Amino acid sequence: MGNPGKIFDGLLVLQYQSGNKKALALLVKRHHPKLCKHAFWYTHDLDISQDIVQDCWTQIMRKIGSLRDPNSFGSWALRIVTRKSLDYLNRASRERNELRSIDKTKTLDYPAVDRASDLENLRAAIKELPDSQQQVLHLFYTEAYSLKEISAILEIAPGTVKSRLYHAREKLKTILKK
């Protein structure tokens, strides 16, 4: 027999898809705390994690009508929160990096300009990599996640994370030698 919680969620999804708006309120009540904890795991900021989950509920409400397996609601909603949390981290990291580079260029002396141009070359080379390799590099080097954590975040096997890191490094070496 299936997981009773998943089956109950599935029934609520089917009721909501049939027009029962109260069913969504029950889904929110059941899943909101878990989704907030999940977003917090990424952001380490309570307010931001709550904002992310609130945005996710909007997306969930828009897309729940097309959910094929109503019993998978919990994992489906968790994936949405994971993606939104990663999007937030990527955006925040880009903004931090832009601010850092602005601060550095204001105080650079001439020898440091070479390091700045090296950094720009590296950024350009990274942009040439496939998105999957860029993600792994970002999570590993910029966000300092472990291979196991990256595996969980991206929902891929740890071996795949290692492989993507290896291939990204090798490809970067080739690109930077040009």
Side-chain angles (χ1 to χ4, degrees):
M1 184 167 179
N3 178 331
K6 285 184 177 185
I7 293 170
F8 184 62
D9 286 343
L11 290 172
L12 289 173
V13 168
L14 290 172
Q15 285 181 358
Y16 182 74
Q17 288 173 339
S18 300
N20 179 352
K21 302 302 178 200
K22 291 180 182 177
L24 181 68
L26 287 171
L27 284 168
V28 170
K29 188 175 184 175
R30 284 175 52 78
H31 290 276
H32 190 75
K34 180 171 66 170
L35 296 177
C36 284
K37 283 180 189 172
H38 188 68
F40 182 79
W41 184 82
Y42 291 108
T43 64
H44 305 290
D45 184 305
L46 187 60
D47 292 332
I48 290 170
S49 63
Q50 289 173 340
D51 288 346
I52 287 170
V53 173
Q54 195 61 46
D55 288 346
C56 290
W57 281 116
T58 304
Q59 185 175 352
I60 288 167
M61 287 171 55
R62 272 197 326 266
K63 294 185 175 186
I64 197 169
S66 60
L67 182 61
R68 287 193 189 124
D69 178 8
N71 292 353
S72 70
F73 175 82
S75 59
W76 175 71
L78 214 57
R79 278 195 305 276
I80 291 171
V81 171
T82 299
R83 279 191 224 106
K84 287 261 189 207
S85 298
L86 287 172
D87 288 347
Y88 167 79
L89 290 176
N90 287 335
R91 240 185 351 270
S93 175
R94 272 195 308 273
E95 289 167 4
R96 275 194 311 272
N97 288 339
E98 286 170 11
L99 288 174
R100 282 187 199 128
S101 67
I102 290 168
D103 287 346
K104 286 179 184 173
T105 55
K106 286 180 183 174
T107 59
L108 288 177
D109 56 346
Y110 185 74
V113 172
D114 290 339
R115 284 187 302 223
S117 65
D118 287 347
L119 187 57
E120 285 307 311
N121 290 340
L122 179 60
R123 283 188 181 135
I126 289 171
K127 287 181 181 175
E128 291 183 36
L129 297 175
D131 288 343
S132 60
Q133 291 177 355
Q134 287 183 41
Q135 274 185 325
V136 172
L137 282 174
H138 173 76
L139 290 170
F140 189 76
Y141 289 108
T142 308
E143 300 297 332
Y145 284 111
S146 70
L147 296 176
K148 187 176 179 182
E149 289 170 327
I150 296 169
S151 169
I153 290 168
L154 299 178
E155 299 174 325
I156 56 176
T160 304
V161 175
K162 286 181 187 176
S163 172
R164 287 182 186 174
L165 267 177
Y166 171 79
H167 290 291
R169 288 184 200 121
E170 292 303 306
K171 195 164 185 177
L172 279 175
K173 287 177 194 173
T174 306
I175 294 169
L176 292 170
K177 284 180 184 175
K178 291 180 186 174

